[in-house]
Amino acid sequence: MATRPAAEADVDTTDRVHDVLDERGLLPGEHYADSAYITAEKVIKAHAPGVELNRPGQPGQSVAEPHRGCFRHRRLHDRLGHAVRHLPAGPSQHLVRNRLDRHGSPRVQFTFSLTNCTPCPVRSRCTHAKTAARTVTLRPCDQHELLQRLYAEQATEQWHRHCGHRAGVEGTISQGIRAFGLRRSRYRGQAKTAVQHILTATAINLTRLDAWTSGTPLGLTRVSHIAALAPQAATT
């Protein structure tokens, strides 16, 4: 269990957790985490010591992608190793720049030529810009290919069954919040709050041990008040 300041990004905790587990010889082969704790960089870094990070992925989107018929990044055929890009309607001149994003991570940015982009017959499916040319920003080649593989795997039924193990983690978090007040700190300062979290985790373990030894059945999924009214509304 790790207690961190609220202003710290969730993704900054991932490496710290792996380092602590590695020092204790407890580094897992598979790690199930929420999307906020994982990026492509984290997945690649975790592969080195043999850890497979699993989480619900969020494919990269642009402003055009939520609309039906718009081109996604995968439709803009790329060969990142040779920095060659093609528009959906054919080849195009382009400007390639290597830059850093706001987190300091390397990115490859492709800006297409106005000569090809402006008169393109499918421009409306590619960008909403009135005058500017289409710009596509991608991760480095290894990270881009890894993300595409993960997104393809997440579309399979096998992956959903495999990632179902996270349901137990979500259940533990829900129990800690609803039954043990995990979201409120009874003390001032991070050190005392960390002790509270450890004691709360201990209480959860003891409660579950008591329920297991006494044969208490598992609780059902909570139903909201509005959802509980739905069957009654259907019969009236």
Side-chain angles (χ1 to χ4, degrees):
M1 175 171 289
T3 301
R4 304 303 303 169
E8 181 176 296
D10 294 338
V11 72
D12 295 334
T13 307
T14 307
D15 291 339
R16 187 179 298 108
V17 171
H18 286 173
D19 292 340
V20 173
L21 293 175
D22 192 19
E23 292 175 359
R24 300 179 180 179
L26 300 175
L27 201 62
E30 292 181 324
H31 183 186
Y32 297 91
D34 190 80
S35 299
Y37 292 86
I38 302 180
T39 61
E41 292 89 342
K42 300 297 182 184
V43 173
I44 293 175
K45 184 176 181 179
H47 274 195
V51 179
E52 181 181 348
L53 285 176
N54 293 302
R55 98 304 192 204
Q58 299 175 347
Q61 291 185 338
S62 68
V63 66
E65 289 179 8
H67 302 279
R68 181 176 299 178
C70 294
F71 294 115
R72 295 179 179 269
H73 281 181
R74 63 174 176 267
R75 293 291 303 276
L76 301 169
H77 307 293
D78 63 303
R79 290 170 55 201
L80 294 179
H82 298 83
V84 174
R85 298 290 298 187
H86 293 81
L87 286 171
S92 170
Q93 297 178 352
H94 54 273
L95 173 65
V96 183
R97 290 182 294 182
N98 295 316
R99 64 181 186 86
L100 301 178
D101 64 8
R102 60 190 178 92
H103 301 293
S105 301
R107 295 291 184 266
V108 181
Q109 186 179 67
F110 298 85
T111 303
F112 296 106
S113 170
L114 282 172
T115 305
N116 300 105
C117 190
T118 302
C120 179
V122 293
R123 175 182 169 85
S124 61
R125 298 176 59 189
C126 195
T127 179
H128 292 167
K130 299 299 183 181
T131 58
R134 175 69 188 268
T135 298
V136 179
T137 302
L138 297 177
R139 299 173 182 270
C141 185
D142 55 346
Q143 299 178 13
H144 176 78
E145 293 177 350
L146 175 62
L147 282 179
Q148 299 309 309
R149 178 177 63 82
L150 291 177
Y151 298 152
E153 291 177 355
Q154 290 163 14
T156 64
E157 182 179 353
Q158 180 181 1
W159 184 90
H160 285 283
R161 291 198 305 266
H162 188 65
C163 205
H165 296 293
R166 239 196 90 73
V169 179
E170 296 294 347
T172 301
I173 295 175
S174 178
Q175 183 181 19
I177 292 173
R178 299 181 184 281
F180 296 91
L182 191 58
R183 282 181 175 167
R184 293 186 176 273
S185 176
R186 294 173 172 81
Y187 311 99
R188 294 180 181 272
Q190 182 175 327
K192 291 183 178 180
T193 302
V195 174
Q196 175 190 328
H197 289 166
I198 294 174
L199 294 176
T200 300
T202 304
I204 293 176
N205 289 338
L206 292 175
T207 300
R208 290 189 167 190
L209 179 61
D210 175 71
W212 181 69
T213 55
S214 61
T216 303
L218 296 176
L220 301 177
T221 301
R222 187 181 68 90
V223 179
S224 67
H225 296 297
I226 294 179
L229 292 175
Q232 300 178 12
T235 58
T236 56

